[in-house]
Short mmCIF file of all heavy atoms in Angstrom, two decimals:
data_model
loop_
_atom_site.label_atom_id
_atom_site.label_comp_id
_atom_site.label_asym_id
_atom_site.label_seq_id
_atom_site.Cartn_x
_atom_site.Cartn_y
_atom_site.Cartn_z
N LYS I 331 104.85 2.60 61.32
CA LYS I 331 105.18 3.68 62.18
C LYS I 331 103.97 3.95 63.13
O LYS I 331 102.86 3.66 62.81
CB LYS I 331 105.34 5.00 61.30
CG LYS I 331 106.42 4.96 60.40
CD LYS I 331 106.54 6.18 59.56
CE LYS I 331 107.79 6.12 58.62
NZ LYS I 331 107.88 7.39 57.80
N GLY I 332 104.46 4.28 64.39
CA GLY I 332 103.42 4.60 65.40
C GLY I 332 102.86 3.37 66.12
O GLY I 332 101.82 3.53 66.85
N LEU I 333 103.59 2.22 65.97
CA LEU I 333 103.02 1.06 66.68
C LEU I 333 103.65 1.15 68.11
O LEU I 333 104.85 1.38 68.34
CB LEU I 333 103.60 -0.22 65.94
CG LEU I 333 102.88 -1.50 66.37
CD1 LEU I 333 101.40 -1.52 65.88
CD2 LEU I 333 103.63 -2.71 65.83
N PRO I 334 102.85 0.97 69.12
CA PRO I 334 103.27 0.91 70.53
C PRO I 334 104.54 0.03 70.72
O PRO I 334 104.42 -1.16 70.35
CB PRO I 334 102.11 0.52 71.35
CG PRO I 334 100.97 0.81 70.45
CD PRO I 334 101.42 0.63 69.09
N ASP I 335 105.67 0.52 71.26
CA ASP I 335 106.85 -0.29 71.47
C ASP I 335 106.91 -0.78 72.87
O ASP I 335 108.03 -1.33 73.27
CB ASP I 335 108.11 0.49 71.11
CG ASP I 335 108.19 1.83 71.87
OD1 ASP I 335 107.29 2.10 72.62
OD2 ASP I 335 109.22 2.43 71.58
N VAL I 336 105.79 -0.57 73.71
CA VAL I 336 105.90 -1.03 75.07
C VAL I 336 105.62 -2.55 74.97
O VAL I 336 104.64 -3.01 74.43
CB VAL I 336 104.78 -0.28 75.94
CG1 VAL I 336 104.70 -0.90 77.33
CG2 VAL I 336 104.95 1.13 75.80
N PHE I 337 106.48 -3.24 75.68
CA PHE I 337 106.43 -4.68 75.59
C PHE I 337 105.32 -5.26 76.44
O PHE I 337 105.05 -4.72 77.60
CB PHE I 337 107.69 -5.28 76.07
CG PHE I 337 107.73 -6.85 76.11
CD1 PHE I 337 107.79 -7.59 74.88
CD2 PHE I 337 107.69 -7.50 77.31
CE1 PHE I 337 107.69 -8.91 74.98
CE2 PHE I 337 107.59 -8.85 77.29
CZ PHE I 337 107.63 -9.58 76.14
N ASN I 338 104.59 -6.16 75.90
CA ASN I 338 103.48 -6.97 76.49
C ASN I 338 103.71 -8.41 76.36
O ASN I 338 103.90 -8.81 75.21
CB ASN I 338 102.12 -6.46 75.95
CG ASN I 338 100.98 -6.94 76.91
OD1 ASN I 338 100.99 -8.11 77.37
ND2 ASN I 338 100.01 -6.08 77.12
N GLN I 339 103.72 -9.09 77.35
CA GLN I 339 104.14 -10.54 77.36
C GLN I 339 102.97 -11.44 76.90
O GLN I 339 103.07 -12.68 76.92
CB GLN I 339 104.67 -10.92 78.70
CG GLN I 339 105.56 -12.20 78.65
CD GLN I 339 106.27 -12.56 79.85
OE1 GLN I 339 106.23 -11.72 80.88
NE2 GLN I 339 106.92 -13.67 80.00
N LYS I 340 101.83 -10.90 76.64
CA LYS I 340 100.73 -11.67 76.29
C LYS I 340 100.99 -12.47 74.97
O LYS I 340 101.63 -11.89 74.09
CB LYS I 340 99.42 -10.95 75.95
CG LYS I 340 98.83 -10.30 77.32
CD LYS I 340 97.55 -9.46 77.02
CE LYS I 340 96.93 -8.91 78.21
NZ LYS I 340 95.67 -8.19 77.98
N THR I 341 100.51 -13.70 74.84
CA THR I 341 100.84 -14.42 73.67
C THR I 341 100.19 -13.79 72.45
O THR I 341 100.88 -13.73 71.33
CB THR I 341 100.31 -15.94 73.82
OG1 THR I 341 100.81 -16.46 75.11
CG2 THR I 341 100.74 -16.70 72.62
N TRP I 342 98.97 -13.55 72.47
CA TRP I 342 98.25 -12.92 71.31
C TRP I 342 97.77 -11.49 71.62
O TRP I 342 97.24 -11.27 72.74
CB TRP I 342 97.05 -13.75 70.88
CG TRP I 342 97.31 -15.04 70.26
CD1 TRP I 342 97.32 -16.30 70.91
CD2 TRP I 342 97.86 -15.30 68.90
NE1 TRP I 342 97.75 -17.20 70.00
CE2 TRP I 342 98.06 -16.71 68.78
CE3 TRP I 342 98.00 -14.42 67.86
CZ2 TRP I 342 98.45 -17.32 67.66
CZ3 TRP I 342 98.44 -15.09 66.66
CH2 TRP I 342 98.67 -16.44 66.49
N GLN I 343 98.00 -10.56 70.73
CA GLN I 343 97.57 -9.19 70.89
C GLN I 343 96.97 -8.50 69.63
O GLN I 343 97.39 -9.00 68.57
CB GLN I 343 98.73 -8.35 71.36
CG GLN I 343 99.20 -8.54 72.77
CD GLN I 343 100.36 -7.57 73.04
OE1 GLN I 343 101.52 -7.89 72.76
NE2 GLN I 343 100.07 -6.44 73.58
N PHE I 344 96.01 -7.70 69.75
CA PHE I 344 95.51 -6.82 68.69
C PHE I 344 95.92 -5.48 68.94
O PHE I 344 95.75 -4.92 70.07
CB PHE I 344 93.93 -6.81 68.65
CG PHE I 344 93.46 -8.03 68.01
CD1 PHE I 344 92.95 -9.08 68.91
CD2 PHE I 344 93.38 -8.31 66.62
CE1 PHE I 344 92.53 -10.33 68.35
CE2 PHE I 344 92.85 -9.48 66.01
CZ PHE I 344 92.40 -10.39 66.88
N LEU I 345 96.66 -4.81 68.00
CA LEU I 345 97.25 -3.46 68.17
C LEU I 345 96.75 -2.48 67.12
O LEU I 345 96.31 -2.94 66.06
CB LEU I 345 98.76 -3.62 68.03
CG LEU I 345 99.49 -4.51 69.03
CD1 LEU I 345 100.92 -4.65 68.70
CD2 LEU I 345 99.35 -4.17 70.56
N LYS I 346 96.93 -1.26 67.39
CA LYS I 346 96.61 -0.13 66.44
C LYS I 346 97.78 0.73 66.37
O LYS I 346 98.38 1.11 67.46
CB LYS I 346 95.42 0.68 66.86
CG LYS I 346 93.98 -0.10 66.66
CD LYS I 346 92.84 0.82 67.05
CE LYS I 346 91.57 0.11 66.90
NZ LYS I 346 91.27 -0.05 65.46
N ASP I 347 98.17 1.16 65.19
CA ASP I 347 99.09 2.20 65.00
C ASP I 347 98.67 3.60 65.15
O ASP I 347 97.47 3.79 65.39
CB ASP I 347 99.98 1.97 63.59
CG ASP I 347 99.11 2.10 62.48
OD1 ASP I 347 97.88 2.64 62.71
OD2 ASP I 347 99.44 1.86 61.35
N SER I 348 99.48 4.55 64.88
CA SER I 348 99.09 6.01 64.86
C SER I 348 97.98 6.29 63.98
O SER I 348 97.31 7.35 64.14
CB SER I 348 100.26 6.88 64.84
OG SER I 348 100.92 6.69 63.59
N LYS I 349 97.90 5.67 62.90
CA LYS I 349 96.86 5.89 61.91
C LYS I 349 95.54 5.10 62.15
O LYS I 349 94.59 5.19 61.32
CB LYS I 349 97.43 5.62 60.47
CG LYS I 349 98.57 6.45 60.14
CD LYS I 349 99.08 6.17 58.71
CE LYS I 349 100.30 7.02 58.37
NZ LYS I 349 100.78 6.75 57.04
N GLY I 350 95.53 4.39 63.15
CA GLY I 350 94.21 3.52 63.53
C GLY I 350 94.18 2.26 62.77
O GLY I 350 93.26 1.59 62.74
N LYS I 351 95.31 1.86 62.05
CA LYS I 351 95.36 0.49 61.45
C LYS I 351 95.49 -0.67 62.36
O LYS I 351 96.26 -0.38 63.41
CB LYS I 351 96.37 0.48 60.32
CG LYS I 351 96.17 1.48 59.18
CD LYS I 351 97.28 1.42 58.12
CE LYS I 351 97.12 2.40 57.01
NZ LYS I 351 98.18 2.34 56.04
N ASP I 352 94.90 -1.74 62.09
CA ASP I 352 94.90 -2.82 63.11
C ASP I 352 95.94 -3.86 62.77
O ASP I 352 96.22 -4.09 61.60
CB ASP I 352 93.49 -3.57 62.98
CG ASP I 352 92.38 -2.65 63.49
OD1 ASP I 352 92.59 -2.01 64.51
OD2 ASP I 352 91.31 -2.65 62.91
N TYR I 353 96.55 -4.46 63.78
CA TYR I 353 97.59 -5.49 63.64
C TYR I 353 97.22 -6.53 64.55
O TYR I 353 96.74 -6.41 65.70
CB TYR I 353 99.00 -4.90 63.87
CG TYR I 353 99.35 -3.81 62.83
CD1 TYR I 353 98.96 -2.48 62.96
CD2 TYR I 353 100.06 -4.12 61.68
CE1 TYR I 353 99.27 -1.57 62.03
CE2 TYR I 353 100.47 -3.26 60.78
CZ TYR I 353 99.98 -1.96 60.93
OH TYR I 353 100.27 -0.97 60.04
N HIS I 354 97.76 -7.69 64.27
CA HIS I 354 97.60 -8.97 65.17
C HIS I 354 98.95 -9.53 65.22
O HIS I 354 99.56 -9.76 64.29
CB HIS I 354 96.60 -9.86 64.41
CG HIS I 354 96.14 -10.91 65.51
ND1 HIS I 354 95.95 -10.72 66.81
CD2 HIS I 354 95.83 -12.30 65.22
CE1 HIS I 354 95.55 -11.93 67.30
NE2 HIS I 354 95.53 -12.78 66.42
N GLN I 355 99.45 -9.88 66.43
CA GLN I 355 100.70 -10.40 66.60
C GLN I 355 100.79 -11.43 67.68
O GLN I 355 99.81 -11.51 68.52
CB GLN I 355 101.74 -9.29 67.12
CG GLN I 355 101.41 -8.80 68.51
CD GLN I 355 102.49 -7.69 68.87
OE1 GLN I 355 103.11 -7.01 68.00
NE2 GLN I 355 102.67 -7.46 70.18
N ILE I 356 101.82 -12.27 67.64
CA ILE I 356 102.07 -13.33 68.54
C ILE I 356 103.47 -13.10 69.27
O ILE I 356 104.34 -12.60 68.65
CB ILE I 356 102.01 -14.73 67.86
CG1 ILE I 356 102.17 -15.86 68.97
CG2 ILE I 356 103.09 -14.83 66.78
CD1 ILE I 356 101.91 -17.28 68.48
N THR I 357 103.49 -13.37 70.56
CA THR I 357 104.86 -13.21 71.25
C THR I 357 105.29 -14.60 71.65
O THR I 357 104.66 -15.36 72.22
CB THR I 357 104.60 -12.44 72.52
OG1 THR I 357 104.01 -11.10 72.10
CG2 THR I 357 105.91 -12.19 73.30
N LEU I 358 106.67 -14.88 71.26
CA LEU I 358 107.20 -16.13 71.59
C LEU I 358 108.64 -15.91 72.39
O LEU I 358 109.36 -14.90 72.08
CB LEU I 358 107.61 -16.84 70.07
CG LEU I 358 106.40 -17.09 69.30
CD1 LEU I 358 106.93 -17.57 67.97
CD2 LEU I 358 105.42 -18.07 69.98
#
Side-chain angles (χ1 to χ4, degrees):
K331 296 180 179 180
L333 196 68
D335 55 358
V336 178
F337 176 72
N338 193 319
Q339 200 172 352
K340 290 183 179 179
T341 303
W342 289 102
Q343 286 181 274
F344 284 95
L345 304 174
K346 284 183 180 292
D347 62 10
S348 58
K349 297 181 180 180
K351 296 181 179 180
D352 295 318
Y353 296 86
H354 191 35
Q355 70 178 21
I356 186 173
T357 301
L358 302 172

